[in-house]
Amino acid sequence: TGADGKLIFKGLAAGTYTITEIKAPDGYNMLEHPITVTIGCDFPEDQEEAVWSGSYTIGDAMTNLTFNGDTGVIEGFNVVNKTGSLLPSTGGIGTTIFYIVGAILVIGAGVILVVKKRMSNE
């Protein structure tokens, strides 16, 4: 998209298209689901011009598209970008080191417990 945030397609035929966000603007979260746009065109016998129809789906929510007259030009639709904090990634090498050190301490405590118990029985 440009600086104005608008995405423009020209010359699309009737069909189903998927729009996937690959990079979110700074300070915004990525879309959870791709946007599916379905465009249909019918030529009824009782009319001289094409009749356009369509919808777009984000996740489970489907909304009908609005067309500008009989030209087949979609008037557009808005995608809401949400701000929020992104959680940091977890589980790197740091947690692995803690698991290894913790396991060694537990095993060591078990060995000391067994050795003290045997010494007290003798």
Side-chain angles (χ1 to χ4, degrees):
T1 61
D4 60 357
K6 292 183 180 180
L7 182 63
I8 298 173
F9 293 102
K10 294 183 180 182
L12 291 179
T16 301
Y17 302 91
T18 302
I19 302 170
T20 305
E21 184 175 44
I22 56 173
K23 183 176 186 276
D26 291 339
Y28 290 92
N29 297 336
M30 294 274 291
L31 291 177
E32 291 181 32
H33 305 284
I35 302 168
T36 303
V37 179
T38 303
I39 302 171
C41 182
D42 191 21
F43 296 93
E45 292 181 19
D46 59 340
Q47 293 184 358
E48 294 181 16
E49 295 184 12
V51 177
W52 293 89
S53 62
S55 63
Y56 66 97
T57 306
I58 302 176
D60 293 330
M62 184 179 81
T63 306
N64 288 329
L65 291 169
T66 303
F67 290 85
N68 184 0
D70 292 324
T71 62
V73 175
I74 299 171
E75 291 186 355
F77 57 91
N78 292 325
V79 176
V80 178
N81 286 314
K82 296 182 180 177
T83 61
S85 60
L86 297 174
L87 297 175
S89 62
T90 59
I93 187 69
T95 56
T96 304
I97 292 171
F98 282 118
Y99 289 138
I100 292 171
V101 170
I104 291 171
L105 290 175
V106 169
I107 292 170
V111 169
I112 290 173
L113 182 66
V114 169
V115 169
K116 282 194 170 194
K117 190 130 183 140
R118 284 191 179 177
M119 289 179 69
S120 65
N121 285 343
E122 291 178 3

